[in-house]
Amino acid sequence: MKSKVMSKDDITRHFRDGMSVMFGGFMGSGTPPTIMKMLFESGVKDLTLIGNDTAIPGIGVAPLIEAGRVKKVIASHIGLNPETGRQMMAGEMDVELVPQGTLVERIRAGGSGLGGFLTPTGVGTVVEQGKQRMTIDGRDYLLEMPLKADLAVIHAKRGDTAGNLYYRRSARNFNPIIALAAEQVFAEVEELVNVGDLDPDMVMTPGMLVSGLIKGDES
């Protein structure tokens, strides 16, 4: 079986200005630290970031935001990263706040090839602004559009050389769903094992979805 293990340079070649990047993680837990460092050190800018939150200062995607390299964030929460809020209020960065369940479903819709979905979440609130409202059987819904990205970066506890991945506990969060919704999917694993060493019942993201992977830096 072909190995999907890549060098850092092989992955970095896929980074470019203006790309959209989905990332896993809650407040940095489940966000791949080595790949995020690679993104930062590559110098790419004008990024669109799509994920649950913008972490906390110095962690996860926060250094990219702090360096002014992000033009837009699509997230459900930004409250623990003051720089995200400052740039949003100053008009330096576009921030689209999306209810968490809606955000997950928009990503799932993108990965499933759906044209969108209807949800009652946000009806009659600021979330409704600019969206189509539909009434079905007497209940109002908003039409939410799918989300896809150029690149998804994910963090797994363990992975084999074919790209099959296992996530540990809450680090699973957004990682499996974003692996479905991007043109390229790069994973960082804490433990790299041979094919056959990962129990099939533990596989949470199959290798067919993964473009390449690296073993994370020891820290």
Side-chain angles (χ1 to χ4, degrees), residues 3-215:
S3 174
K4 292 192 176 180
V5 178
M6 300 176 72
S7 70
K8 291 181 180 180
D9 286 343
D10 288 336
I11 292 178
T12 301
R13 290 191 188 99
H14 293 272
F15 300 162
R16 67 179 189 276
D17 292 348
M19 73 187 313
S20 53
V21 180
M22 283 184 180
F23 60 96
F26 285 176
M27 304 305 162
S29 177
T31 304
T34 303
I35 295 180
M36 295 313 303
K37 182 180 179 182
M38 291 160 53
L39 263 173
F40 184 84
E41 292 180 347
S42 73
V44 291
K45 60 185 183 299
D46 297 327
L47 300 174
T48 295
L49 299 181
I50 305 169
N52 180 69
D53 56 78
T54 54
I56 57 178
I59 300 296
V61 299
L64 288 167
I65 293 171
E66 293 159 0
R69 307 248 288 278
V70 179
K71 68 177 181 181
K72 183 174 182 177
V73 164
I74 302 174
S76 66
H77 185 267
I78 61 170
L80 295 183
N81 188 338
E83 181 60 17
T84 304
R86 188 200 68 77
Q87 291 187 29
M88 178 181 71
M89 297 301 292
E92 299 171 5
M93 180 173 63
D94 183 16
V95 175
E96 180 181 348
L97 291 172
V98 183
Q100 188 178 78
T102 301
L103 180 61
V104 172
E105 190 67 4
R106 288 181 66 186
I107 295 170
R108 190 192 71 82
S112 300
L114 302 179
F117 64 95
L118 299 176
T119 177
T121 303
V123 171
T125 74
V126 294
V127 174
E128 184 176 346
Q129 294 177 4
K131 296 176 182 174
Q132 183 179 347
R133 183 196 281 208
M134 300 178 66
T135 302
I136 300 176
D137 292 333
R139 189 174 189 186
D140 290 336
Y141 297 86
L142 300 181
L143 174 61
E144 293 283 357
M145 304 307 291
L147 279 172
K148 297 193 72 173
D150 298 313
L151 177 70
V153 294
I154 56 184
H155 187 202
K157 174 65 177 178
R158 188 174 298 117
D160 66 23
T161 55
N164 298 301
L165 305 177
Y166 160 74
Y167 309 98
R168 185 174 183 269
R169 298 178 180 172
S170 62
R172 187 172 180 174
N173 48 62
F174 272 60
N175 281 299
I177 198 72
I178 67 172
L180 294 167
E183 295 298 322
Q184 297 280 336
V185 177
F186 293 116
E188 174 180 338
V189 299
E190 296 177 25
E191 302 171 17
L192 180 63
V193 300
N194 293 321
V195 174
D197 290 341
L198 189 62
D199 187 329
D201 282 342
M202 295 177 65
V203 174
M204 299 172 181
T205 294
M208 65 180 296
L209 297 175
V210 178
S211 307
L213 75 161
I214 61 168
K215 186 178 184 300

